[in-house]
């Protein structure tokens, strides 16, 4: 008898599919916001609607310095998957308070701040991305960060 995927594996698989729409050359990230086992929004990293995409004109890289002095490169052209999913929910008037988000990489510092303020209760991620950097934010919030493992098929 075949076993069914867990809900976490199911929604992460969908986030992986959403990531295939991403248009930034540096990372293809997908996000799915789920409430009561229903998908309420998706997002992937890419340019604002109607703007040129990194895949067409290249990334627009900027260098910033973190408070500890570490330099970081980011794409200025791209909106992160989590923010695009939040924007999609907002555009359609859908509350995400108490929802879970499935993301193919753990959120960056700025996305996690936004997820905390929107009332997301659980962040499920596939691959870790600068986990140490976001730990201070987790200390002062009730948001749960969970790594989801998806078996290869």
């Amino acid at each position: 008898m075949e076993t069914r995927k867990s809900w976490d594996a199911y929604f992460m698989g969908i986030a992986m599919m959403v990531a295939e729409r991403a248009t930034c050359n540096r990372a293809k990230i997908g996000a799915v916001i789920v409430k009561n086992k229903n998908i309420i929004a998706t997002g992937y990293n890419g340019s604002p609607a109607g703007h040129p995409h990194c895949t067409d004109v290249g990334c627009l890289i900027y260098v910033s310095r973190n408070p500890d002095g570490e330099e970081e490169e980011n794409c200025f052209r791209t909106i992160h998957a989590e923010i695009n999913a939040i924007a999609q929910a907002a555009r359609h008037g859908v509350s995400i308070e108490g929802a879970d988000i499935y993301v193919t990489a753990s959120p960056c510092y700025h996305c996690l701040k936004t997820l905390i303020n929107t009332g997301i209760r659980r962040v499920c991620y596939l691959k870790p991305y600068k986990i140490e950097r976001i730990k201070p934010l987790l200390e002062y919030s009730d948001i749960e960060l969970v790594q989801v493992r998806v078996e290869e098929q």
Side-chain angles (χ1 to χ4, degrees):
M1 188 160 145
E2 191 176 322
T3 58
R4 294 170 73 184
K5 288 183 181 280
S6 69
W7 284 108
D8 284 346
Y10 171 71
F11 290 122
M12 189 59 74
I14 294 170
M16 292 165 64
M17 181 62 71
V18 171
E20 293 182 25
R21 291 270 313 149
T23 60
C24 184
N25 298 321
R26 299 181 75 231
K28 296 203 174 288
I29 308 297
V32 177
I33 300 176
V34 175
K35 194 169 187 178
N36 301 321
K37 296 184 178 140
N38 289 292
I39 296 170
I40 56 176
T42 64
Y44 51 85
N45 57 334
S47 300
H51 289 244
H53 295 284
C54 300
T55 50
D56 298 326
V57 296
C59 291
L60 186 58
I61 302 299
Y62 72 94
V63 179
S64 61
R65 191 178 318 275
N66 294 323
D68 62 6
E70 179 187 352
E71 283 190 353
E72 185 172 295
E73 288 186 359
N74 291 286
C75 180
F76 202 67
R77 193 178 312 283
T78 299
I79 300 170
H80 289 186
E82 301 94 323
I83 304 301
N84 270 328
I86 292 166
Q88 184 185 72
R91 186 175 193 165
H92 296 286
V94 178
S95 171
I96 62 173
E97 186 170 358
D100 298 340
I101 188 167
Y102 292 82
V103 191
T104 56
S106 58
C108 72
Y109 195 86
H110 300 291
C111 285
L112 184 56
K113 289 189 296 186
T114 305
L115 292 168
I116 290 167
N117 273 7
T118 60
I120 290 286
R121 70 177 184 95
R122 196 166 72 118
V123 177
C124 300
Y125 68 94
L126 183 63
K127 297 176 188 170
Y129 173 76
K130 299 183 180 181
I131 291 284
E132 292 302 316
R133 177 130 354 259
I134 62 174
K135 280 188 177 177
L137 284 175
L138 295 170
E139 289 177 30
Y140 296 101
S141 72
D142 293 333
I143 203 164
E144 184 183 358
L145 187 67
V146 178
Q147 186 170 20
V148 173
R149 306 215 186 269
V150 178
E151 59 281 345
E152 296 294 322
Q153 305 233 349

